[in-house]
Amino acid sequence: MSVRAFLPKAVPRETLEQLLAIASRAPSGTNTQPWKVYVLQGGSRDSLVGKVCAAHDAIRANPELAAQYKEEYDYYPEKWVSPYIDRRRENGWGLYGLLGIGKGDKDKMHAQHQRNYRFFDAPVGLMFTLDRVMGRGSLVDYGMFMQNIMVAARGHGLHTCPQAAWNGFAKIILPHIGAGDDEMLVCGMALGYADESALVNTFRTPRVGVQAFTTWLD
């Protein structure tokens, strides 16, 4: 599950190194191992949060500024169609409904969206990059690598939230983390100990049944 409220409890570096070592066993085409990980904690984390939240606020004040912040690859489709748009809406309004945020509550929606750029208060933020020279298949490899982190984290009593929300702010993030000119941002991730008392962490996304996405061939 994606956790959207964390405790301010630090995660030992040894634990983070163990998670990344486990994740590195993910399969990748011809063993290219295309992942590059940047771990943000303390001042580096807080500084990035400040920069991106300021940009997010500026865009709200002047929507024309959004043109300056572009994702390097299309995470979502250019045109939404059913059933994907239906699931997206169900997910969004399910979460906002739980938090008491209505369609017209623009201030609350903006604040909740900005929780992404605060890593949902998690003490650890991860940024994942990929060399631009790599092909789209490396994004498949990357998904398995990240899933390994997420599953291994649960084994250590930790939770995560993978975040594509950061992607539009790559021009701020990449220089901040010291990424090379040949790298592109894949996404971010919040990692830490879940705040089990937070209402938002009771949210569970629905799943369609196996019969809805499986074709059996004899």
Side-chain angles (χ1 to χ4, degrees):
M1 60 172 288
S2 291
V3 160
R4 295 179 174 86
F6 291 85
L7 299 172
K9 180 181 177 182
V11 181
R13 177 165 178 161
E14 179 182 2
T15 299
L16 295 172
E17 289 179 348
Q18 290 175 355
L19 297 181
L20 294 172
I22 291 169
S24 72
R25 298 305 307 177
S28 59
T30 63
N31 199 34
T32 50
Q33 304 172 69
W35 34 80
K36 292 185 178 182
V37 185
Y38 296 84
V39 183
L40 295 103
Q41 298 172 282
S44 65
R45 174 207 172 279
D46 296 346
S47 178
L48 180 63
V49 166
K51 292 176 184 177
V52 175
C53 284
H56 185 235
D57 286 339
I59 291 173
R60 188 189 180 197
N62 181 7
E64 291 182 1
L65 293 176
Q68 300 179 17
Y69 300 98
K70 295 292 185 181
E71 298 181 353
E72 188 146 352
Y73 70 99
D74 293 329
Y75 185 89
Y76 293 111
E78 292 184 7
K79 180 180 180 180
W80 286 95
V81 298
S82 184
Y84 311 111
I85 185 60
D86 308 312
R87 296 170 185 166
R88 176 182 172 91
R89 287 170 175 162
E90 179 184 35
N91 182 70
W93 294 120
L95 175 61
Y96 284 170
L98 176 68
L99 298 176
I101 302 173
K103 290 185 178 181
D105 296 332
K106 293 184 178 181
D107 289 342
K108 290 182 179 180
M109 290 179 67
H110 178 79
Q112 181 58 36
H113 190 206
Q114 193 169 99
R115 295 281 296 151
N116 280 282
Y117 309 127
R118 301 182 185 278
F119 292 108
F120 300 107
D121 296 329
V124 180
L126 304 176
M127 289 294 166
F128 304 100
T129 72
L130 176 71
D131 281 341
R132 291 190 180 93
V133 71
M134 302 303 288
R136 285 185 294 178
S138 290
L139 292 174
V140 177
D141 303 336
Y142 229 122
M144 291 184 280
F145 173 78
M146 292 176 58
Q147 181 78 13
N148 276 4
I149 293 176
M150 297 165 70
V151 173
R154 293 301 302 121
H156 285 74
L158 297 159
H159 271 287
T160 57
C161 184
Q163 301 173 274
W166 292 96
N167 291 9
F169 294 101
K171 65 181 290 186
I172 296 174
I173 297 166
L174 293 175
H176 181 89
I177 61 179
D181 293 339
D182 57 346
E183 295 174 57
M184 75 173 195
L185 183 66
V186 174
C187 68
M189 181 183 291
L191 185 150
Y193 296 94
D195 181 352
E196 302 291 355
S197 68
L199 176 63
V200 70
N201 285 339
T202 66
F203 182 65
R204 297 293 184 275
T205 54
R207 291 292 188 271
V208 299
V210 172
Q211 70 281 0
F213 60 80
T214 306
T215 299
W216 300 93
L217 304 170
D218 294 323

